[in-house]
């Protein structure tokens, strides 16, 4: 690993001093990292959690920020606040640039290093453009607050500009959204944009009818929601079409530019494009100098330790873990959370009592996707749910899973209110397009 | 007025057609512009309100966004949503670049023009650095969501960096805030930062004690809160000092740079600086090519018409209106609101019934400032209030004045919750410093 010493000053960022407890360092405060830290709270280990942001983001609800239903602060909670009551847990806000495996140090850009006895890599995943990284500028994925703000601004600005536009073709383009990828994120985005146009903005304009907005969901495979049973996917397909979403299956997006997307042989002019077609792991494998799988994931053993190492672990979207049938576990919040909690407990047992590492076993809590108002699907393996009851269950589960109590209360009140009034909560145009695409992946300006 | 024709295409942005009603165009959807539009809602005039943002911002609570208590969406409401029920009111989102007085057109950058029969300029004010405009980069004022996000990020990042810092002097600088100007905004900011450090962040850090943060309020005059009676100012002064704020009166800020501020002869290193020392009107006077007063305000007559014109009016911070004693009315939300409502009614009477213009008279509803938890002041002229009851009244009044019902409900719940728990609501570090200082005044990325 080539690193410039000037970028990583020789400064220990943790209070060294008298603390002789073994030191576990977690990189990433997503679902996995946070669950891992919490499981070690109050035990005889020292824990430092490093993240580039000062907040944990509840990514499953990010599509609601992107579609102007919630504010970023509704689904983000300061990491320090979440972990405050555990005196043995430190938080470091910084951008990790690499790992010095030989000296057991995590290197923080422009700040220094954090020494570790055990390292947990929980850095998540990002969208994969399969070699067309220049598409990201026009069709952001949905992983960060900046992504969500960019999408929200582009949808709302599209309507604002269409209202003033006298050119019919351009007006149509300004009211067109293309969503690439028919997975849960694509379905959620398509449904939410359709509801925004059909309900929330319905009476806001004089020259255009937002209900005539065109929303196109493009899926390269034969059907949407591939990980779900066909019955549920069919229901979601029909629900989306009823909401006015055009679904194109077996269609590849061949190019994306500032004016729109080339879908198959047809160029569709669009002002909003969203990418949800594939993910790859963050560059943690490169930090270790080890070989990752095709999606950039780090192979780990049953105990979640990185193969070939003794003191490094990986969980969540960063890790390649296989189930009993040898299939990779999916990149879901519940997988990351269960792995984090398991690893935290296992590390405490090892470091406090010298226990042997315990094997991780995933327990499927059910898989869900939301299509729109009153329409969601649940797959519990044997049992399946769809429709209004599934939607209520979806809302309950997501409110419950939100980290902070205050957030839960506010989000549930906003949902209730919006559900009664058909309104949207956070309709600020809040993004300056020129701020994108500068600097590294860490440059997004959230909040 | 020199304008480049390419910047302003010859496109009428309002639906021309058959609508023969007289057309009133309002520039600016602040308190004044919005009140003016509302007063004309449902009458036999056509109204178009132009703003660079798609939302109305409740500026009196912006300091709470700057100090991480509220989210931008809590105090912003889409203009279209506010005015939706009035079919005679259009909204145009765009950046006004000038007024073509001869042809009665408002020119919108990169879009076209809006023709008017009557024009109302309600573009507000911005902070005045008295010739030191380069200070703005380091010490933003508090007028836009971008300002608030920059200040919030700098306060919170200061603590994050101080936590990792091993250099005592630098650590102290990272925890130092300098607020320039002892008016209501300066007092509110100083109090709110003090509360953030002393209560909300108290237990969040391991290496630093946020309560040791240094907050300096600098006032060039002999006392803070000059517009208030001395008794109330003394109370606010004592309350702030009790909260740990250092108040320097009769002290001028002589320079501001990236590292801190030169106050008198002493250079104070600081990571957060806020400018609240003076305002000037936005450049509406230049659009008209008329002479403004020293603060950039447009002189208007009793009927709020711009002197020397017959079809152009100005209200709020943009206008110079004199009270009965010949003193200029202050730049307060209540002045703008009353002028807007008066002008709207007067224009309807003139245009519908050919009535004569009515003279405006300001009714003082009382002047207020908030110092902190349980401490506010009210000046009703003869009666004065201070302390806990004033604080409760302040909170009631501000919740009531918030435009949307949903906002009212959410903000009051958040305040109640924070008051009980001593917590802060919206602690996201949300600002990328590099996004500042690019382009024109209209480039702020709020939300």
């Amino acid at each position: 690993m080539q690193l410039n010493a000037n970028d990583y000053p020789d400064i220990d960022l943790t209070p060294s001093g008298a603390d002789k407890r073994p030191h576990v360092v977690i990189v990433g405060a997503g679902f996995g990292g946070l669950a891992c830290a919490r499981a070690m709270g109050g035990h005889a280990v020292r824990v430092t959690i490093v993240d580039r942001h000062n907040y944990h983001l509840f990514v499953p609800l990010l599509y609601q920020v992107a579609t102007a239903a919630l504010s970023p602060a509704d689904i983000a909670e300061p990491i320090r606040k979440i972990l405050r009551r555990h005196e043995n847990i430190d938080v470091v806000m910084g951008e990790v640039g690499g790992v010095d495996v030989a000296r057991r140090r995590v290197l923080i850009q422009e700040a220094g290093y954090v020494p570790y006895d055990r390292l947990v890599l929980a850095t998540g995943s990002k969208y994969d453009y399969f070699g067309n990284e220049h598409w990201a500028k026009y069709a952001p994925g949905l992983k960060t607050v900046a992504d969500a703000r960019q999408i929200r601004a582009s949808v709302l600005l599209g309507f604002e500009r269409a209202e003033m536009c006298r050119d019919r073709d351009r007006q149509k383009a300004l009211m067109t959204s293309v969503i690439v990828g028919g997975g849960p994120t694509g379905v959620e985005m398509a449904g939410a944009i359709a509801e925004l146009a059909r309900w929330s903005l319905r009476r806001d304009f004089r020259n255009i009818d937002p209900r005539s907005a065109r929303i196109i969901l493009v899926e390269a495979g034969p059907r949407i929601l591939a990980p779900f049973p066909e019955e549920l996917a069919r229901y979601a397909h029909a629900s989306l079409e009823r909401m006015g979403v055009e679904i194109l299956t077996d269609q590849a997006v061949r190019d994306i530019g500032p004016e729109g997307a080339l879908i198959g042989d047809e160029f569709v002019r669009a002002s909003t494009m969203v990418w949800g077609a594939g993910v790859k792991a963050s560059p943690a494998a490169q930090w270790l100098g080890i070989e990752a799988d095709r999606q950039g994931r780090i192979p780990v053993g049953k105990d979640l330790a990185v193969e070939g190492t003794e003191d490094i672990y990986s969980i969540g979207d960063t890790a390649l873990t296989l189930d009993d049938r040898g299939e990779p576990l999916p990149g879901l919040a519940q997988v990351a959370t269960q792995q984090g909690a398991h690893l935290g407990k296992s590390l405490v047992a090892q470091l406090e009592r010298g226990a042997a590492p315990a094997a991780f076993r995933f327990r499927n809590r059910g898989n869900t996707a939301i299509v729109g108002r009153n329409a969601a699907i649940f797959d519990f393996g044997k049992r399946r749910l769809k429709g209004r009851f599934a939607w209520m269950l979806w809302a309950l589960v997501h409110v419950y899973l939100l980290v902070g109590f205050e957030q839960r209360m506010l989000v549930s009140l906003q949902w209730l209110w919006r559900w009664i009034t058909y309104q949207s909560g956070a309709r600020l145009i809040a993004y300056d397009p020129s701020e994108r695409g500068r600097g590294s992946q860490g440059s997004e300006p959230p909040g």
Side-chain angles (χ1 to χ4, degrees), chain A:
Chain A
M1 190 181 49
Q2 293 293 317
L3 288 169
N4 186 342
N6 288 332
D7 293 343
Y8 304 97
D10 197 29
I11 298 172
D12 182 351
L13 296 173
T14 48
S16 42
D19 199 333
K20 295 293 178 215
R21 292 177 292 185
H23 187 196
V24 180
V25 174
I26 304 167
V27 182
F31 289 105
L34 215 48
C36 186
R38 279 177 155 165
M40 292 187 280
H43 287 279
V45 292
R46 192 154 65 94
V47 178
T48 300
I49 188 162
V50 183
D51 199 283
R52 66 163 68 121
H53 295 304
N54 75 327
Y55 53 83
H56 165 78
L57 186 66
F58 193 81
V59 178
L61 289 181
L62 197 56
Y63 83 96
Q64 297 218 0
V65 175
T67 52
L70 293 176
S71 282
D74 294 332
I75 61 161
E77 186 84 349
I79 302 162
R80 292 190 188 282
K81 190 174 165 194
I82 299 171
L83 298 171
R84 180 159 56 191
R85 63 199 185 86
H86 305 297
E87 66 70 39
N88 65 324
I89 304 180
D90 274 355
V91 179
V92 166
M93 182 183 163
E95 183 78 29
V96 172
V99 177
D100 185 343
V101 177
R103 297 166 80 184
R104 291 185 162 186
R105 291 176 170 187
V106 174
L107 304 172
I108 315 282
Q109 274 173 19
E110 285 164 31
Y113 65 87
V114 178
Y116 64 80
D117 296 309
R118 297 286 185 283
L119 175 63
V120 179
L121 296 172
T123 48
S125 58
K126 53 184 182 179
Y127 277 94
D128 190 359
Y129 292 82
F130 309 115
N132 296 298
E133 260 53 43
H134 54 288
W135 294 357
K137 192 174 159 189
Y138 311 111
L142 193 61
K143 282 283 182 190
T144 67
V145 170
D147 293 337
R149 286 172 58 218
Q150 180 177 355
I151 294 165
R152 173 164 75 183
S154 109
V155 173
L156 296 176
L157 269 176
F159 287 115
E160 291 287 345
R161 288 178 181 147
E163 168 86 353
M164 293 199 291
C165 186
R166 299 286 165 274
D167 171 339
R168 279 284 164 197
D169 282 346
R170 191 170 139 66
Q171 196 173 53
K172 206 172 147 191
L174 285 166
M175 293 168 69
T176 300
S177 304
V178 173
I179 292 121
V180 187
T185 301
V187 166
E188 283 161 7
M189 279 301 302
I193 294 176
E195 293 198 328
L196 183 69
R198 284 166 67 96
W199 299 112
S200 311
L201 300 180
R202 194 174 26 146
R203 293 178 295 140
D204 276 15
F205 296 90
R206 304 279 178 258
N207 301 326
I208 57 166
D209 183 352
R211 286 172 298 182
S212 67
R214 207 176 157 203
I215 299 139
I216 304 166
L217 180 64
V218 189
E219 165 61 41
R223 68 169 171 95
I224 61 167
L225 295 172
F228 285 84
E230 197 164 347
E231 170 207 350
L232 294 180
R234 254 204 313 270
Y235 165 78
H237 191 114
S239 302
L240 282 175
E241 286 191 336
R242 245 196 327 273
M243 293 159 70
V245 176
E246 297 170 41
I247 303 175
L248 306 176
T249 51
D250 283 322
Q251 297 264 17
V253 169
R254 291 167 51 204
D255 197 17
I256 291 177
E259 293 290 314
L262 184 64
I263 305 171
D265 295 325
E266 195 201 351
F267 185 78
V268 178
R269 288 179 72 189
S271 71
T272 300
M273 290 172 280
V274 181
W275 186 261
V279 294
K280 64 180 174 195
S282 51
Q286 292 163 36
W287 297 343
L288 304 180
I290 63 168
E291 203 170 326
D293 82 335
R294 220 159 46 101
Q295 286 173 48
R297 293 176 294 193
I298 300 174
V300 297
K302 289 275 174 212
D303 60 349
L304 305 174
V306 176
E307 288 175 7
T309 72
E310 285 180 353
D311 47 10
I312 305 180
Y313 300 80
S314 184
I315 55 177
D317 289 7
T318 321
L320 174 66
T321 30
L322 305 178
D323 66 12
D324 295 341
R325 292 168 303 177
E327 292 288 314
L329 289 177
L332 295 173
Q334 56 174 327
V335 174
T337 305
Q338 289 182 32
Q339 288 181 335
H342 171 88
L343 181 59
K345 268 183 242 162
S346 174
L347 283 171
V348 165
Q350 292 174 52
L351 296 169
E352 271 188 354
R353 305 187 299 272
F360 170 72
R361 238 189 110 82
F362 174 58
R363 279 178 191 80
N364 187 359
R365 305 284 183 215
N367 207 351
T368 180
I370 179 150
V371 184
R373 194 178 162 83
N374 291 332
I377 56 175
F378 265 92
D379 173 25
F380 296 104
K382 281 172 199 159
R383 294 191 64 175
R384 291 161 192 179
L385 277 180
K386 57 177 192 275
R388 181 188 291 248
F389 180 72
W391 178 81
M392 282 167 65
L393 190 62
W394 178 94
L396 268 178
V397 166
H398 281 78
V399 167
Y400 177 78
L401 289 176
L402 273 179
V403 175
F405 171 72
E406 185 178 9
Q407 258 78 353
R408 269 183 223 170
M409 184 179 74
L410 288 173
V411 170
S412 29
L413 280 169
Q414 288 189 55
W415 281 350
L416 190 67
W417 181 250
R418 282 190 300 115
W419 192 73
I420 297 167
T421 61
Y422 281 83
Q423 280 307 315
S424 249
R427 278 197 353 237
L428 314 193
I429 295 180
Y431 189 79
D432 178 349
S434 62
E435 82 193 24
R436 244 314 149 98
R438 288 173 297 101
S440 70
Q441 39 160 325
S443 71
E444 68 265 23

